[in-house]
Amino acid sequence: SQTIHQWPATLVQPVGSPLSLECTVEGTSNPNLYWYRQAAGRGLQLLFYSVGIGQISSEVPQNLSASRPQDRQFILSSKKLLLSDSGFYLCAWQRDRGPTNTEAFFGQGTRLTVV
Amino acid sequence: GIQVEQSPPDLILQEGANSTLRCNFSDSVNNLQWFHQNPWGQLINLFYIPSGTKQNGRLSATTVATERYSLLYISSSQTTDSGVYFCAVELVGGGSNYKLTFGKGTLLTVNP
């Protein structure tokens, strides 16, 4: 069966410090991978998605970047954190497919507080 | 882009009551999912239901794709049902393919 791992679970970082959040998927190959952010107030916003190694699409301009160095690894980064980067970050995966769509599954999330 | 509206935004129930949550979407979709966000923030998959009706224990869901809405039914609610319920959809084709757009959720509180 497939599983998704995301770490760390919580993180407190000072303004201006770098960030690296990691997400890995097991039990599948060539998944579509996603980073979402949930700010206070509930809504989830898609930040980045990737359909393959080295292929990153950004949904919103921001202080963050994403990379996919391996098939089942997705990394969210920042060189210098801002207060506004605080939030709950969720990684998700979907099985790669053509015209048939499948469920998305989410990791446990990382709660980031920038102080 | 596609609009996803959930109602009601907040719902308070007594344990044992039934409820219906609604999700309206503005365009044709390939994928529709319902999630429950638990107190620790994790999104738990409830249903993958782009059309039709499914049931899982006390929960059931119906999506009427032609009328662009989905309903989530919770029967005999329990305190553990508390949390935020999200509807998320994936647009058919175009530049929005491969991504889920979320509604703002329904915050359900079940009191003992």
Side-chain angles (χ1 to χ4, degrees), chain A residues 32 34 36 38 41-44 46 49 51 59 88 90 94 97-98 101-108 111, chain B residues 9-10 30-31 33 35 37 40-43 45 48 84 86 90 95 97-100 102 104-107:
Chain A
N32 293 336
Y34 306 83
Y36 285 82
Q38 184 178 32
R42 246 187 269 173
L44 278 87
L46 178 65
Y49 68 95
V51 299
E59 286 295 301
F88 190 55
L90 289 149
Q94 279 179 311
R97 78 290 190 196
N101 297 280
T102 64
E103 278 183 271
F105 295 89
F106 283 78
Q108 301 96 319
R111 197 165 302 279
Chain B
D10 300 275
N30 278 333
N31 176 3
Q33 292 185 238
F35 296 91
Q37 189 167 37
W40 297 271
Q42 188 169 7
L43 287 174
N45 289 44
Y48 168 68
V84 183
F86 286 104
E90 183 176 326
N97 210 358
Y98 300 119
K99 67 175 185 180
L100 286 175
F102 281 76
K104 293 187 177 181
T106 293
L107 175 59

Side-chain angles (χ1 to χ4, degrees), chain A residues 30-33 49-56 68-71 74:
Chain A
N30 199 29
N32 293 336
L33 297 172
Y49 68 95
S50 172
V51 299
I53 295 174
Q55 300 179 61
I56 309 295
R68 185 169 176 175
Q70 300 180 41
D71 181 44
F74 204 25

Side-chain angles (χ1 to χ4, degrees), chain B residues 2-5 23-29 31-32 49-50 63-70 87 89:
Chain B
I2 190 168
Q3 304 297 315
V4 182
E5 296 182 357
C23 173
N24 292 334
F25 44 95
S26 60
D27 212 330
S28 297
V29 298
N31 176 3
L32 188 146
I49 187 166
T63 297
V64 183
T66 54
E67 297 187 21
R68 298 180 183 170
Y69 73 88
S70 182
C87 168
V89 303

